[in-house]
Amino acid sequence: MADIVKANPRAVLGLATGSTPLELYGFLADWNGKGEISFAQTTTFNLDEYMGIPVSDRNSYRSFMNENFFRKIDIDISRTHVLNGNAADVEAECAAYEKAIRDAGGIDVQLLGLGADAHIGFNEPGSSFESRTRRKELLAQTINDNARFFGNDKSKVPTSALTMGIASIMDARSIVLLAFGQHKAKAVFDMVKGPVTRDVPASILQRHPNARIYLDEAAASML
Ligand code: F6R
């Protein structure tokens, strides 16, 4: 990702939240601090945002990104885009997001984490490969997995989100997926070795011309 920004300072980055990218954001911020890379002209689009919690809530993905990445780098905050999970008109919000990505020239590199159920963004199993940015209901496993950010209280985890669709993700010119830990091993196996099926949303990446997958040994243990 750093190479892409160095080669093209105006690069458009697709970003993710969650535990997985934190170390990567740490490295990028570090290099930015040392003057080795600048984000001053980059534009970013995040994959998803919870519905029904205020933007100011520390668990909103806007807050997460500001806290864990944007405030640590020289980015112009007006070039950072996160879906508005409280939009009065959800369809208009999603359509405007797709248009903003197109107007920016499309995404040069999309960063992805992997759900234990093989979701990408919040595209849960069963999501259409043709899907665009829209509202999705979260499945029980995702709510359980994300409860750790909400004091382990499942009842506090939002049950729906806005997310870029699978087709929106596949439009990115390149993709970097990261997966770490034993709890991702089965999803990694299904993504890489299984059939391309809606039941395993990440399996569609087998058809992307420029997708790279980075794993630790635990996540790769079933391959
Ligand atoms: C986050 C996102 C999700 C996460 C996935 C893995 O913006 O879109 O798909 O990447 O749920 O989450 P972690 O990294 O917390 O295991």
Side-chain angles (χ1 to χ4, degrees), residues 90-200:
V90 164
E91 273 186 30
E93 170 69 14
C94 294
Y97 204 70
E98 289 275 335
K99 181 173 183 308
I101 294 173
R102 277 197 309 276
D103 290 350
I107 291 174
D108 291 302
V109 55
Q110 175 66 57
L111 176 63
L112 297 174
L114 180 67
D117 64 2
H119 68 222
I120 47 177
F122 273 132
N123 296 287
E124 296 282 31
S127 295
S128 162
F129 289 155
E130 279 75 50
S131 53
R132 292 274 158 195
T133 304
R134 70 209 181 296
R135 174 186 175 144
K136 281 299 277 185
E137 307 309 311
L138 308 189
L139 297 185
Q141 172 157 23
T142 301
I143 291 173
N144 284 339
D145 288 348
N146 288 1
R148 69 190 193 281
F149 293 110
F150 293 83
N152 288 318
D153 182 349
K154 275 188 274 186
S155 71
K156 294 214 172 91
V157 184
T159 55
S160 55
L162 301 184
T163 181
M164 278 166 59
I166 304 235
S168 331
I169 292 170
M170 289 292 280
D171 278 349
R173 284 185 274 282
S174 63
I175 291 184
V176 169
L177 181 143
L178 309 179
F180 307 134
Q182 189 64 40
H183 60 302
K184 302 288 176 77
K186 174 77 168 66
V188 166
F189 175 84
D190 291 344
M191 164 178 70
V192 175
K193 298 283 191 192
V196 176
T197 161
R198 285 160 71 134
D199 297 337
V200 180

Side-chain angles (χ1 to χ4, degrees), residues 42-121:
T42 58
T43 298
T44 69
F45 290 91
N46 263 79
L47 280 167
D48 41 21
E49 177 59 286
Y50 286 124
M51 295 183 77
I53 55 173
V55 176
S56 56
D57 189 301
R58 57 185 286 276
N59 281 310
S60 81
Y61 284 172
R62 164 52 79 180
S63 295
F64 180 100
M65 290 308 298
N66 287 353
E67 184 64 22
N68 291 294
F69 195 35
F70 299 148
R71 75 174 177 82
K72 299 181 177 170
I73 58 173
D74 62 347
I75 200 159
D76 171 355
I77 201 78
S78 69
R79 287 178 183 270
T80 68
H81 301 86
V82 181
L83 281 151
N84 176 5
N86 295 298
D89 184 342
V90 164
E91 273 186 30
E93 170 69 14
C94 294
Y97 204 70
E98 289 275 335
K99 181 173 183 308
I101 294 173
R102 277 197 309 276
D103 290 350
I107 291 174
D108 291 302
V109 55
Q110 175 66 57
L111 176 63
L112 297 174
L114 180 67
D117 64 2
H119 68 222
I120 47 177

